[in-house]
């Protein structure tokens, strides 16, 4: 199985190499801003020409795609950036490629061809706020035989802070090929990510016929239908005291904002505190990412079928009372990791419909409660008398959902969702299953306000 996989390593550059890395990232930002200024100037020129009645065929062309932007940059780089030869051409191409992607996303969002929130028109990148990042797609890109150095175009050989043996083994066996490399400064460290095409061996889960339901939550990270409870480590909550201290310290420093609202050069200690704060946030993110990868890898390697819910994470983040706790869990990451890890491991992922009442349904007899308060942590069925932890009950309902799904793999095995519980077409999700027959779903999608003849239903 050929897959596209990324390998990320922390770099240990010399002071001179760190300056060169920052210079390449600055070159990418400069090319992005130059290209955006050229696009805006061309758009303004077209509007002016239209006001004079010039035909559409004679209007000024706008460099909209990467090819046009590269051609315009090569024609003007001698005047606008006489120092362009100090960096690799890939740095400028990286910035122009980012601009072309942003313009394409804005155009698709405006035409309704892109799902999700509306995408705004690209804005200029600030030297002080934009992330330092640069992408290399051609040239000398590789991993050295010593497995502690990487080679990047124009930058040469840079030492890594960790071993690159996993990627090096694929390259030595011929089962891997590097497609691109991206360097990024994050959390006080320089990182390099190799985008590779890997030929992975076909694998089978340890229990290919086993089905497990996974109920994600805030109190507990996950509760499995087998009864196993994975506790929530709450990495952000544990580091909150340190983060607050650093934020207060940063506010007391001589920052870039003056008392009169203007700008001023920040002090050296302000930069030190800001770097320490970024480091603390990066540590929390790394701890969370490590725990979620270990959990999803274990699930994908053990069970043949995994059932999760299609959660409205963005809606939960809109609740200011629980947004911090929800963000600390990383529910979206769990589903995203399970989607590709089950495919790589030979299993399948079934995503229950968002309106499937997993918590309100009795896992013993199938009766559905009309209401179930969030404070009720034990599910007690009034029909059969079952008393069970509500999260364990929901996980068992998710596992039982597989028996009601069509046996065709196209409906369950990492396939796009086609219909919801009511038969209407829905987008997104992998293998989303409708509400099982014989059980009435009590959850309904909240209707929009102001719609004549409709009213919202509390869920």
């Amino acid at each position: 199985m050929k897959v596209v996989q990324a390998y990320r390593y922390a770099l240990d550059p010399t002071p001179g190499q760190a300056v060169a890395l920052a210079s390449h990232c600055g070159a990418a930002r400069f090319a992005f801003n130059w290209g955006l200024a050229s696009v805006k100037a061309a758009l303004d020129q077209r509007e002016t020409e239209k006001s004079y009645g010039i035909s559409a065929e004679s209007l000024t062309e706008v460099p909209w795609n990467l090819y046009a932007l590269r051609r315009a940059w090569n024609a003007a780089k001698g005047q606008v950036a006489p120092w362009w030869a100090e960096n690799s051409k890939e740095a400028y191409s990286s910035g122009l490629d980012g601009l072309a992607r942003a313009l394409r996303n804005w155009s698709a969002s405006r035409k309704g061809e892109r799902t999700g929130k509306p995408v705004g028109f690209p804005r200029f990148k600030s030297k002080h706020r934009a992330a330092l990042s640069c992408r290399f797609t051609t040239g000398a890109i590789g991993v050295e035989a010593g497995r502690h150095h990487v080679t990047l175009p124009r930058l040469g050989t840079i030492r890594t802070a960790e071993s690159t043996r996993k990627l090096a083994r694929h390259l030595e066996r011929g089962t891997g090929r590097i497609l691109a490399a991206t360097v990024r400064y994050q959390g006080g460290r320089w990182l390099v990510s190799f985008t590779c095409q890997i030929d992975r061996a076909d694998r089978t889960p340890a229990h290919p016929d086993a089905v497990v339901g996974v109920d994600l939550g805030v109190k507990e990270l996950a509760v499995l239908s087998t009864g196993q409870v994975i506790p929530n480590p709450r990495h952000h909550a544990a580091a909150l005291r340190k983060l607050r201290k650093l934020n207060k310290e940063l506010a007391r420093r001589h920052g870039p904002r003056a008392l009169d609202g203007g700008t001023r050069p920040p002090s050296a200690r302000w930069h030190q505190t800001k770097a320490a704060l970024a480091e603390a946030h990066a540590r929390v993110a790394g701890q969370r990412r490590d725990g979620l990868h270990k959990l999803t890898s274990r699930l994908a390697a053990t069970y043949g079928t995994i059932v999760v819910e299609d959660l409205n994470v963005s809606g939960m983040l809109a609740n200011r009372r629980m947004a911090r706790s929800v963000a600390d869990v990383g529910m979206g990451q769990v589903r995203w990791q399970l989607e590709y890890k089950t495919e790589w491991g030979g299993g399948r992922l079934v995503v229950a419909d968002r309106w499937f009442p997993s918590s309100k349904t009795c896992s013993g007899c199938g009766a559905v409660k009309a209401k179930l308060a969030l404070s009720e942590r034990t599910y007690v069925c009034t029909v059969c008398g079952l008393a069970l932890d509500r999260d364990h009950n929901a996980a068992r309902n998710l596992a039982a959902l597989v028996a009601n799904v069509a046996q065709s793999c196209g409906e369950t095995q990492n396939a796009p969702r086609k219909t919801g519980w009511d038969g209407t077409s829905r987008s997104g999700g992998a293998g989303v299953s409708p509400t099982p027959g014989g059980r009435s779903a009590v959850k309904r999608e909240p209707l929009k306000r102001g719609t004549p003849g409709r009213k919202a239903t509390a869920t």
Side-chain angles (χ1 to χ4, degrees):
M1 176 193 304
K2 290 187 179 295
V3 300
V4 177
Q5 185 174 347
Y7 292 86
R8 188 173 71 167
Y9 302 102
L11 296 177
D12 185 18
T14 64
Q17 291 173 337
V19 173
L21 287 169
S23 177
H24 277 71
C25 296
R29 186 192 69 252
F30 180 87
F32 181 96
N33 290 339
W34 176 88
L36 181 56
S38 301
V39 169
K40 286 190 171 184
L43 290 175
D44 294 340
Q45 181 66 22
R46 286 176 65 92
E47 292 298 325
T48 303
E49 293 171 353
K50 287 180 181 179
S51 65
Y52 286 103
I54 299 178
S55 61
E57 295 78 7
S58 303
L59 294 178
T60 301
E61 294 185 3
V62 181
W64 199 259
N65 53 30
L66 178 58
Y67 175 77
L69 288 170
R70 278 180 177 173
R71 185 174 56 185
W73 167 258
N74 289 331
K77 63 184 179 182
Q79 290 74 31
V80 299
W83 39 262
W84 67 269
E86 298 177 3
N87 301 301
S88 171
K89 64 182 180 63
E90 285 295 299
Y92 310 102
S93 180
S94 174
L96 297 177
D97 180 56
L99 175 60
R101 291 172 184 267
L103 293 172
R104 184 168 63 251
N105 292 338
W106 172 78
S107 179
S109 177
R110 192 180 183 187
K111 296 177 182 178
E113 301 173 355
R114 179 184 173 92
T115 59
K117 295 182 179 180
V119 178
F121 194 80
R123 296 182 293 180
F124 292 101
K125 291 187 177 182
S126 170
K127 179 180 180 181
H128 305 286
R129 293 190 300 271
L132 295 178
S133 178
C134 178
R135 183 178 175 88
F136 302 90
T137 56
T138 61
I141 305 174
V143 177
E144 297 299 319
R147 301 183 180 181
H148 279 282
H149 294 82
V150 297
T151 302
L152 297 175
R154 196 59 185 271
L155 295 169
T157 302
I158 305 177
R159 182 176 176 82
T160 59
E162 51 191 327
S163 175
T164 61
R165 60 180 178 274
K166 289 187 177 181
L167 176 56
R169 288 169 181 169
H170 280 290
L171 298 177
E172 292 171 359
R173 292 195 301 259
T175 57
R177 182 169 64 93
I178 297 178
L179 304 177
T182 303
V183 293
R184 183 182 182 89
Y185 186 77
Q186 183 178 5
R189 309 179 74 179
W190 282 102
L191 306 172
V192 59
S193 299
F194 292 100
T195 303
C196 310
Q197 185 181 43
I198 303 297
D199 188 5
R200 296 180 63 93
D202 295 335
R203 296 183 178 180
T204 304
H207 304 284
D209 297 330
V211 180
V212 64
V214 182
D215 182 74
L216 301 175
V218 174
K219 183 179 179 182
E220 306 292 347
L221 176 60
V223 177
L224 308 185
S225 57
T226 58
Q228 182 181 1
V229 178
I230 291 89
N232 184 5
R234 303 179 186 270
H235 298 295
H236 184 266
L240 198 56
R241 183 177 181 181
K242 182 178 181 180
L243 294 175
R244 285 173 176 168
K245 179 182 177 181
L246 290 174
N247 274 298
K248 291 179 180 180
E249 184 178 307
L250 186 67
R252 292 193 300 267
R253 301 299 187 194
H254 188 89
R257 289 289 181 183
L259 297 179
D260 57 357
T263 59
R264 62 187 180 185
S267 65
R269 291 193 176 184
W270 183 88
H271 282 294
Q272 292 176 2
T273 306
K274 185 179 179 182
L277 182 61
E279 224 173 290
H281 277 293
R283 178 177 176 81
V284 172
Q287 290 174 335
R288 182 188 302 114
R289 182 170 54 250
D290 178 69
L292 295 183
H293 270 295
K294 290 178 179 177
L295 170 63
T296 54
S297 296
R298 180 169 57 85
L299 291 176
T302 304
Y303 302 99
T305 302
I306 303 174
V307 189
V308 296
E309 285 185 293
D310 181 25
L311 299 173
N312 182 18
V313 180
S314 59
M316 290 187 284
L317 291 176
N319 186 342
R320 64 182 182 87
R321 298 180 181 273
M322 59 184 301
R324 178 187 294 169
S325 300
V326 172
D328 196 12
V329 174
M331 299 179 180
Q333 283 287 317
V334 174
R335 174 174 167 182
W336 172 68
Q337 292 177 16
L338 284 176
E339 283 183 3
Y340 71 84
K341 288 183 179 181
T342 51
E343 184 178 356
W344 291 358
R348 64 171 180 170
L349 176 68
V350 178
V351 182
D353 190 273
R354 182 172 296 182
W355 315 113
F356 171 63
S358 59
S359 298
K360 299 179 181 179
T361 305
C362 176
S363 59
C365 64
V368 181
K369 283 190 174 184
K371 294 182 180 180
L372 183 64
L374 190 61
S375 58
E376 298 181 36
R377 304 310 306 172
T378 302
Y379 183 91
V380 179
C381 181
T382 57
V383 178
C384 66
L386 175 69
L388 192 65
D389 179 78
R390 65 175 292 157
D391 295 334
H392 187 196
N393 177 71
R396 291 176 58 178
N397 285 325
L398 293 175
L401 186 63
V402 178
N404 299 277
V405 178
Q407 297 300 321
S408 61
C409 294
E411 191 68 27
T412 60
Q413 188 168 354
N414 301 317
R417 174 172 55 172
K418 297 179 180 179
T419 58
W421 65 271
D422 54 357
T424 58
S425 177
R426 299 184 186 275
S427 61
V432 176
S433 309
T435 301
R439 300 183 184 180
S440 59
V442 297
K443 291 185 179 180
R444 295 293 185 267
E445 185 173 1
L447 307 182
K448 297 181 179 180
R449 295 182 179 179
T451 307
R454 305 178 77 181
K455 61 181 181 179
T457 304
T459 58

